Each structure stands twice: as structure tokens, then as C-alpha cells.
Amino acid sequence: MVKKILYINGDGVGPELMAGARSIVDELADVEWVEGEAGYAAYLKHGTALPNDTVVSAKACDAVLFCAVTTPPGIPNYKSAIIGMRKELDLYANLRPFDSLPNVPAPSWTGAPANSAPAPLHFAIVRENTEGLYSGIEEADEVRATALRVITRRASERIVKFAYEYAKKRSFSKVTLVHKANVLRKSDGLFLEVGRAAAKPYAPAIACEDAIVDSVAMRLVKSPGDFQVIVTTNLFGDILSDEASALIGGLGVAPSANIGQKYALFEPVHGSAPDIAGKGVANPTGMLRSAALMLAHLGLEPEARKLETAIESAYKQNIKTLDVGGTARTHDVVEAVRKNLN
Ligand code: NAI
Ligand code: MG
């Protein structure tokens, strides 16, 4: 069946990375592409970073493939397109899988003895995407500024359930609830209480552990192999997932999914990388891996696996961009992946 996909190039390296990803998806699936505008270029053209047409189109498509947008400094009241999309489509779960790639230098401390290759990592972070410290409720006067950290039973329940369903589907055997309930007794206390209850139906096949966020930040550096699926609130998830991307080679290789009850949007973790835009050197891996997550979400699991394997093979062949220690250009990596599909 033809899948209808809204693609949003965005700004900076967006158009060049999206072109490669679309051409690869076309090799794997029957897709009708619909273009949507968003980001700074859209703002300059339409006076808004997220035109209503884009939201309407997104709701009429099976999925959204998004690259990255620039948020320009110094424009008061500028509203970020990606944050707007997450809100408009109620994309409550932010999923970031972290999988090591062959021939990508990983930090030497990752659980391996000196002079040996670190063990490959395979884990995921699920971040609550709609509330917490990013609920957008802030106040300021001359002497004080406050931000309201909202934790609700409903959002906590659905995010933990999402994490367990993901663990089940991907054959993980442990989920870690990450919190700071020792200090944030009421808000994270609620997250923890609800999380433990939501975990019960999955025991004993999937174990539930909980851990305090600062110790998790330390353990991610020291022994990242401890983790399988981490589920946490908005701010903690934001910070831990950038930290985790460094363990597998940095922003250029990390994909993400934003998933809601009805809609889903897939995007690389990195931003618009204006410093390298138009030079043909950006790493397409995060974008391609995001496309693989999209295919899996659309029920095209074998095609998703095929794409992930083709990416891994390109790395085995040492075809990789500058940011991960290679010399290949964007185009070389995309073409290597295309060849490896067959
Ligand atoms: P960034 O992720 O764009 O770049 C950080 C560094 O990583 C830069 O040196 C860049 O060249 C490098 N990098 C990023 N993606 C890469 C890739 N695919 N291959 C090779 N190197 C890559 O983050 P930065 O510089 O903080 O932000 C730039 C713009 O992007 C800002 O306007 C920011 O607001 C926006 N942004 C947008 C996001 C989104 O659309 N979801 C997320 C993060 C930032
Ligand atoms: Mg971030």
C-alpha cells in the first residue's frame, strides 16, 4: 500500500540530507511524498515558522519526516517549528535509540579494558515530550523568575507504558525509571509511583529498576552497558539523550522518533548545522536512521532492518564522514547505503 509521507526539509543541512533520505526510502517502499514548509526559511516567507498548511498536511499523512530547523536568536516571540509540531500533533513520546556503529571511535572508557574495542552499545531513551520543566509556564518580575514543572498522572502513565511496549517489541528485558524523587518529592514522586504501577503487568519478563538522574548521568559515562530502556521526564531526557549520543559517535549518527496516539514524526537528533550547510559534508546517518525508524513505525519492519543493515555495512566498509573520523562526503555515504541495500 502506498504510504503518504510529509517531508519537511527545514533549514541549513536539511535540504541536502532530506534529498538523500527520500531517495533511499524510495528504494524500499511505495511512497507518495508531500512537501511541508517549516523553520526559519518558512518564517521569512510566511511570517511564521510553522504555517498552518503544514500542520493540516501532517494530519493527513501516515508520518512526517523532518530534518532540522534553525531557531534564529534575537527575534522576540519566535516560536520554534519543531516544538509547535510536537504540540499540534500531541507527540508525547520522544524515542532515541542508541546503537554503536562499526569503525566509529567511541570513548575508550565505555566499559572496555584499555587497548580493546569497547563493547557495542544497544539501548534507548524514552523522554516525556509534553510537560515537565518544558510545560511553558513561566513567570518573571524584577526579582524572581520561575518555571512550573508539571508532572501529571496521565502523561507519566502513558510514557512509561510506551517505554514498556517498546522494550517488549525490541526484546529488551529491563526498563529504568529515571527521576529525582528524593528531592522533587511530589512531582517526581508521582512519576515514580505511577511508573512502578505501570511496570507491573510486564513483570517478570521485563524488569523495572529506578535510578536517580545524577547517578544515571555518571553511569552513562562509566558503564553505559548497564542500560536497556531508560524512561524519564522531559528535561532529564533532553540532557541524558544528548550525553548518550556522544557514546555512539555524536549528533551526526543519532536518530529520533516523536510519537503520539495518532501521529508520528521522525527526525535526526542534530540541528540545522549552519556551519557546514551546503558543503556536502554533513553526516546523513542520523537522518537515514530516522527514516528507518519511520519505516518500522509504518509496519515495514523488514525494510527498516534492511536499511539499518545497509548503514552498518557502509561503516564496516569505512565509508564515513568527517565528524566520525572519515573522509567521505554526504553523497558517498548515501550511495554506499544504496548499494548495500541490494
Ligand atoms: P547543531 O546540531 O546544528 O550543530 C552542532 C555541531 O554539530 C555543529 O558543529 C555541526 O556542524 C555539527 N553537526 C550537526 N549535525 C551534523 C551532521 N549531520 N553531520 C556532521 N556534523 C553535524 O546544533 P547547534 O549548532 O547548537 O544549532 C544550530 C541551529 O539548529 C540552531 O538554530 C538551533 O536552534 C537549531 N537546532 C534545531 C534542532 C531541531 O531542528 N530539532 C535541534 C537542535 C538545534
Ligand atoms: Mg536537545
Side-chain angles (χ1 to χ4, degrees):
M1 215 175 75
V2 183
K3 301 290 182 189
K4 207 166 150 186
I5 297 170
L6 183 81
Y7 73 96
I8 297 174
N9 287 331
D11 305 306
V13 293
E16 52 198 286
L17 295 183
M18 183 62 78
R22 283 176 57 207
S23 76
I24 293 293
V25 170
D26 279 332
E27 305 260 349
L28 291 160
D30 207 356
V31 168
E32 180 192 334
W33 296 100
V34 179
E35 183 169 9
E37 291 179 290
Y40 187 46
Y43 174 84
L44 293 175
K45 203 165 143 195
H46 304 288
T48 167
L50 182 58
N52 192 46
D53 283 356
T54 303
V55 177
V56 171
S57 296
K59 291 183 177 172
C61 286
D62 296 305
V64 180
L65 192 59
F66 184 100
C67 192
V69 290
T70 297
T71 297
I75 302 182
N77 303 323
Y78 186 90
K79 287 207 176 93
S80 152
I82 184 66
I83 293 176
M85 280 298 256
R86 287 175 187 158
K87 264 212 177 96
E88 290 286 343
L89 305 180
D90 193 23
L91 304 174
Y92 68 84
N94 187 291
L95 166 71
R96 295 189 186 181
F98 298 96
D99 294 292
S100 303
L101 286 160
N103 290 316
V104 171
S108 56
W109 62 76
T110 44
N115 303 323
S116 74
L121 295 172
H122 171 53
F123 68 101
I125 297 182
V126 174
R127 158 187 168 197
E128 205 292 321
N129 224 2
T130 63
E131 56 177 34
L133 201 57
Y134 300 163
S135 62
I137 308 170
E138 285 196 293
E139 271 178 23
D141 60 28
E142 280 304 303
V143 291
R144 198 174 86 137
T146 55
L148 199 63
R149 186 168 180 275
V150 179
I151 303 292
T152 64
R153 188 172 286 278
R154 171 176 172 264
S156 302
E157 215 164 65
R158 70 177 179 178
I159 199 67
V160 173
K161 197 156 177 247
F162 178 94
Y164 271 88
E165 285 299 317
Y166 178 77
K168 196 166 131 187
K169 212 164 154 193
R170 297 278 143 172
S171 310
F172 286 108
S173 59
K174 184 175 77 174
V175 172
T176 307
L177 306 172
V178 175
H179 62 90
K180 188 77 188 180
N182 52 330
V183 176
L184 301 166
R185 288 174 183 274
K186 296 219 161 115
S187 54
D188 270 15
L190 177 63
F191 176 77
L192 191 54
E193 176 208 316
V194 170
R196 282 182 179 145
K200 283 222 170 94
Y202 299 89
I206 308 175
C208 177
E209 93 174 345
D210 68 80
I212 294 173
V213 62
D214 38 352
S215 87
V216 171
M218 185 272 290
R219 286 166 65 199
L220 270 177
V221 171
K222 201 164 166 242
S223 49
D226 285 359
F227 299 106
Q228 297 193 30
V229 176
I230 286 173
V231 58
T232 188
T233 53
N234 209 337
L235 171 73
F236 297 161
D238 191 11
I239 297 171
L240 293 179
S241 55
D242 272 27
E243 181 189 1
S245 74
L247 300 170
I248 58 157
L251 290 172
V253 303
S256 82
N258 294 271
I259 295 177
Q261 204 70 47
K262 281 163 96 175
Y263 310 109
L265 178 151
F266 303 82
E267 54 162 343
V269 168
H270 61 76
S272 61
D275 52 337
I276 55 168
K279 295 186 177 154
V281 298
N283 190 341
T285 308
M287 182 80 240
L288 291 171
R289 285 178 142 182
S290 302
L293 292 178
M294 178 183 77
L295 291 171
H297 180 81
L298 293 170
L300 303 169
E301 286 279 351
E303 289 81 359
R305 293 290 84 75
K306 203 170 160 186
L307 176 49
E308 280 165 357
T309 310
I311 296 167
E312 269 184 48
S313 303
Y315 277 83
K316 277 188 195 141
Q317 297 155 336
N318 237 326
I319 303 172
K320 54 185 189 182
T321 46
L322 223 59
D323 58 309
V324 283
T327 54
R329 299 176 60 80
T330 310
H331 179 77
D332 304 327
V333 179
V334 172
E335 289 319 305
V337 170
R338 192 189 317 281
K339 265 199 202 131
N340 293 336
L341 288 174
N342 306 307

